[in-house]
Amino acid sequence: MPLPQTAPTYQTKHVYYWLIAILIVAASLRLYNLDAHGIFFDEKATMMVSQGMVQNGGNQHDVFNPQKYVFTNQEFWQPQTLPEYLEAMRRSDIGNSPVYYLMLHPWLNLMGVSDFTARLFSVLFSILTVWLIFIFVNHFFKSSRLALTAAALAAIEPFFVAYSQQARNYSLTFFLTLLATYCFLRALEAEDKRRPSLRWFFFYGLVAGLSFLSHFLAATVCLAHGIYAVVTVRRLRTWVALIGAGALAISGLAAWIIWGGGDWTLRSLNHQQAVYLECAFKRPYNNPYGVILPATFKNVFEKSLPIFTDLWIYSNGLVGTLEGKKNTIVALVIGLGLIFAFRYSQKNREKSTIISIGAAVMLGGSALFYSNHKIGFVVVSVAILMLFLAFNKTTFKNKNLIWFLIIIAIVPSAFLIFNAARSGHTYGLTQRYSGFSFPFVIILASIAFWQLFESKGWIKYLIITVLLLQSTLIARTVKSVYDDVSLKYNYRITPRLPNPHYTAAQKALKSYEKGDTVLIGAPRNVYDNPMDRAFMDHSVTDAQYFNLYLPKDGIFVQRLDTVNVDKISLKKASGQLVELTDLKGKRY
């Protein structure tokens, strides 16, 4: 059966009504509970860097210094210079995301500095990614139904929902890498059809360069592009244009490394490598960075498996919850049995009812065997069938595109595995570092869905029923993100409370009067990275986070409190002490 096709006039108003509805769903899922939980350490770095400030005051010597523990919000908010912005990017985010901060800074100036507006920036690009997936599929596969399906799956994908709710560079980078890929394929398409292609190669080099400067690992997407080009491109002219686009992309990154933040980036990465390696062998479970294990084959396989299975929406969230090797083997065998049953039912349609009944008995009987998570293992079997449908020979009528999707689905995660083996530890084996593959795997999942939906016989209704059960597991994963208890996406199982620094600032705005002083806890500094070393014995990070939520006008006199280090309090002119917040256990 061919991929779903439509007439040349596939861009109808009804298609766009459906697209708008999907985008509304995507926006709703991403905006829900957006600022319900306080920002965590990486997001705090985002907030500080966006304002040109090094965490712990490294470039605010005129605000904080050992002889000056009293300051005001106006001193905190004095304008930062370009060198100070560059220092903030280098020291507080290892120089990894200059394009992200270049865009986020004016956004926050326009929208106001808050957790909601910072995360809203990520929401915006996550929604744009859903839209661009529709554009991508609609153009290259010439199927509005397939495009809408891909957009719908992207709208509900837990990975996209989770990272849209973080004030970090990921959503922007996913959008840029997808846009760069679109330009790359448009350029090759124009070359094949002997049409003007220079603008597409230029856009490709420009957008790819921007993606590198949003997150360095975006380069793995261009690595996939290169592999595809080696296999498919034969014209010298095309190679010259590709090399020119690559040079344009790399030139911006090279300039940043040489004249921007590259020295700090390399030094910080070298330091991190040494720390993570030490953790892997000496304190794998008792360190501040999560579980870090030596890069043995077993450890790398177990850490990599959920990266691949969660890419496939039909098996999303299963690894890590299912238990038992025997259960797994049975589920795999049943999955192969479903493939056989499906193929046989398509070739022998007069027997499709009997085959469907047999498949139902096989799935139901297997559920009786499983010792735990019976529905989960049934879903595993169906996920295997869906994988077969994505790569069924009938889909290879668009074989170059399908092979491209396969390459770009694998390369980013394969790079993480290679890097883990090279570095000797498993720290970098995490979904967000290879999340660039999600849009392309979602397209494959959409192809599988339509292969199933357009198949003949009753067996497809059995499979669709199981997929509906899987949708409840997807919903459960999204809910765990909202509840802030997803270890994979929230990095915790105990939910955060609302931002304590924001809460304290709002109370201060209501209660502060002339003559009052805000006392802000300042514990002693402890350094993990020597490049983070500040010039004061006591931390000023809580003072920085608190002042982010104060206005730039008005005067709030403040003093670092080195005694009550977990409190933010308001000392009234009368001497009365009013607690604004207790930070103990809430610094996240």
Side-chain angles (χ1 to χ4, degrees):
M1 72 201 70
L3 289 176
Q5 300 291 322
T6 56
T9 56
Y10 54 86
Q11 291 184 344
T12 66
K13 63 179 182 179
H14 299 292
V15 170
Y16 288 106
Y17 290 156
W18 278 108
L19 177 60
I20 290 170
I22 289 169
L23 294 177
I24 291 173
V25 170
S28 301
L29 290 173
R30 287 152 177 75
L31 289 171
Y32 180 75
N33 262 13
L34 186 59
D35 62 348
H37 306 287
I39 56 177
F40 67 100
F41 181 81
D42 286 2
E43 292 182 291
K44 292 174 181 177
T46 293
M47 300 297 284
M48 296 308 306
V49 175
S50 72
Q51 304 307 308
M53 301 168 186
V54 175
Q55 282 183 299
N56 219 0
N59 63 351
Q60 293 181 287
H61 293 222
D62 49 348
V63 183
F64 310 107
N65 65 64
Q67 285 75 45
K68 183 174 179 290
Y69 275 43
V70 177
F71 55 94
T72 69
N73 57 308
Q74 288 188 345
E75 292 175 311
F76 175 84
W77 279 116
Q78 59 189 312
Q80 299 294 95
T81 63
L82 178 59
E84 287 172 329
Y85 275 97
L86 294 177
E87 184 181 0
M89 280 185 259
R90 290 194 300 264
R91 293 185 60 181
S92 292
D93 206 359
I94 71 167
N96 186 30
S97 312
V99 162
Y100 172 67
Y101 291 115
L102 183 65
M103 297 173 68
L104 182 63
H105 177 73
W107 169 268
L108 292 178
N109 280 349
L110 175 66
M111 304 295 289
V113 178
S114 72
D115 299 351
F116 183 89
T117 55
R119 288 171 173 168
L120 185 63
F121 188 74
S122 297
V123 169
L124 172 64
F125 280 97
S126 186
I127 296 170
L128 286 174
T129 298
V130 174
W131 166 79
L132 186 55
I133 287 173
F134 171 84
I135 298 298
F136 186 102
V137 177
N138 213 11
H139 179 82
F140 291 113
F141 289 90
K142 299 296 185 291
S143 170
S144 56
R145 290 189 301 173
L146 189 64
L148 288 171
T149 304
L153 292 180
I156 65 172
E157 168 56 52
F159 177 85
F160 284 145
V161 173
Y163 284 100
S164 72
Q165 296 204 331
Q166 291 186 13
R168 295 295 290 160
N169 55 6
Y170 301 114
S171 287
L172 172 63
T173 310
F174 302 147
F175 173 79
L176 290 174
T177 52
L178 178 59
L179 182 58
T181 303
Y182 178 79
C183 294
F184 169 75
L185 292 178
R186 287 297 300 263
L188 295 187
E189 179 185 62
E191 282 287 287
D192 288 342
K193 296 180 179 180
R194 303 297 193 268
R195 294 175 179 173
S197 59
L198 185 60
R199 62 171 180 162
W200 288 112
F201 283 110
F202 173 75
F203 289 146
Y204 171 54
L206 178 63
V207 178
L210 292 176
S211 72
F212 296 168
L213 294 173
S214 183
H215 198 292
F216 293 155
L217 283 174
T220 60
V221 174
C222 290
L223 174 61
H225 296 167
I227 294 172
Y228 178 73
V230 167
V231 174
T232 61
V233 174
R234 295 293 177 264
R235 295 181 68 199
L236 178 61
R237 164 195 162 95
T238 307
W239 272 111
V240 171
L242 279 173
I243 291 171
L248 174 61
I250 294 173
S251 63
L253 178 62
W256 172 252
I257 289 177
I258 295 171
W259 295 295
D263 55 337
W264 286 81
T265 300
L266 297 176
R267 287 162 57 192
S268 187
L269 288 175
N270 287 335
H271 170 78
Q272 289 176 0
Q273 162 64 12
V275 170
Y276 297 152
L277 195 61
E278 183 269 336
C279 290
F281 285 94
K282 294 184 178 179
R283 45 186 179 133
Y285 302 100
N286 185 28
N287 66 74
Y289 315 106
V291 178
I292 305 177
L293 303 172
T296 63
F297 177 83
K298 178 177 180 294
N299 290 338
V300 170
F301 176 81
E302 290 180 351
K303 292 278 283 187
S304 302
L305 186 59
I307 293 178
F308 286 103
T309 57
D310 284 358
L311 274 172
W312 192 236
I313 195 165
Y314 304 119
S315 58
N316 190 297
L318 294 179
V319 173
T321 60
L322 306 183
E323 301 173 357
K325 292 181 180 179
K326 291 182 180 180
N327 291 341
T328 303
I329 292 172
V330 170
L332 294 176
V333 171
I334 296 298
L336 296 176
L338 285 177
I339 293 173
F340 174 80
F342 183 87
R343 293 189 63 185
Y344 192 73
S345 70
Q346 300 308 296
K347 294 178 180 178
N348 299 272
R349 293 177 184 173
E350 68 280 0
K351 298 181 180 180
S352 64
T353 301
I354 296 175
I355 295 170
S356 300
I357 294 172
V361 171
M362 181 171 59
L363 272 178
S366 68
L368 297 176
F369 172 86
Y370 301 131
S371 59
N372 61 80
H373 297 91
K374 298 180 184 296
I375 293 177
F377 280 109
V378 169
V379 170
V380 169
S381 299
V382 169
I384 293 169
L385 171 62
M386 298 302 290
L387 193 63
F388 163 77
L389 292 178
F391 302 124
N392 189 309
K393 65 180 181 180
T394 57
T395 68
F396 279 79
K397 291 181 180 297
N398 305 66
K399 64 178 182 180
N400 280 356
L401 273 175
I402 299 299
W403 279 115
F404 176 77
L405 294 178
I406 294 171
I407 291 169
I408 206 166
I410 293 173
V411 168
S413 297
F415 178 82
L416 295 185
I417 294 172
F418 165 78
N419 195 52
R422 182 190 62 83
S423 62
H425 59 78
T426 62
Y427 177 79
L429 285 173
T430 181
Q431 195 88 60
R432 66 183 182 273
Y433 291 153
S434 64
F436 321 110
S437 297
F438 266 94
F440 311 103
V441 178
I442 281 172
I443 296 171
L444 290 172
S446 303
I447 291 171
F449 174 82
W450 279 105
Q451 288 289 310
L452 174 67
F453 193 79
E454 294 193 331
S455 65
K456 305 299 181 181
W458 292 96
I459 191 170
K460 70 178 178 184
Y461 298 109
L462 170 67
I463 304 305
I464 290 172
T465 300
V466 177
L467 292 180
L468 289 174
L469 293 175
Q470 165 63 354
S471 69
T472 65
L473 301 179
I474 296 293
R476 186 177 65 185
T477 301
V478 173
K479 184 178 185 302
S480 72
V481 172
Y482 292 151
D483 293 341
D484 202 39
V485 293
S486 171
L487 188 59
K488 178 164 187 168
Y489 296 125
N490 303 118
Y491 321 130
R492 69 193 74 249
I493 56 174
T494 301
R496 291 164 289 180
L497 296 172
N499 189 331
H501 298 93
Y502 174 81
T503 300
Q506 298 310 299
K507 290 180 179 179
L509 284 169
K510 293 179 180 179
S511 303
Y512 186 90
E513 297 174 334
K514 186 176 181 179
D516 295 348
T517 302
V518 178
L519 307 179
I520 305 175
R524 281 198 170 273
N525 277 314
V526 178
Y527 303 103
D528 173 70
N529 189 336
M531 287 177 284
D532 293 336
R533 188 169 296 281
F535 52 92
M536 295 182 65
D537 291 333
H538 294 89
S539 171
V540 301
T541 54
D542 288 314
Q544 290 179 304
Y545 302 151
F546 174 76
N547 277 269
L548 280 173
Y549 307 107
L550 290 181
K552 298 178 181 181
D553 55 358
I555 297 179
F556 291 79
V557 177
Q558 301 164 61
R559 176 166 60 84
L560 298 179
D561 187 346
T562 60
V563 178
N564 300 300
V565 296
D566 291 323
K567 306 282 188 180
I568 298 179
S569 304
L570 179 64
K571 186 175 183 180
K572 305 295 289 183
S574 63
Q576 178 189 6
L577 199 62
V578 179
E579 181 179 304
L580 300 179
T581 192
D582 187 341
L583 295 170
K584 191 171 184 179
K586 302 176 188 176
R587 287 186 169 98
Y588 308 125

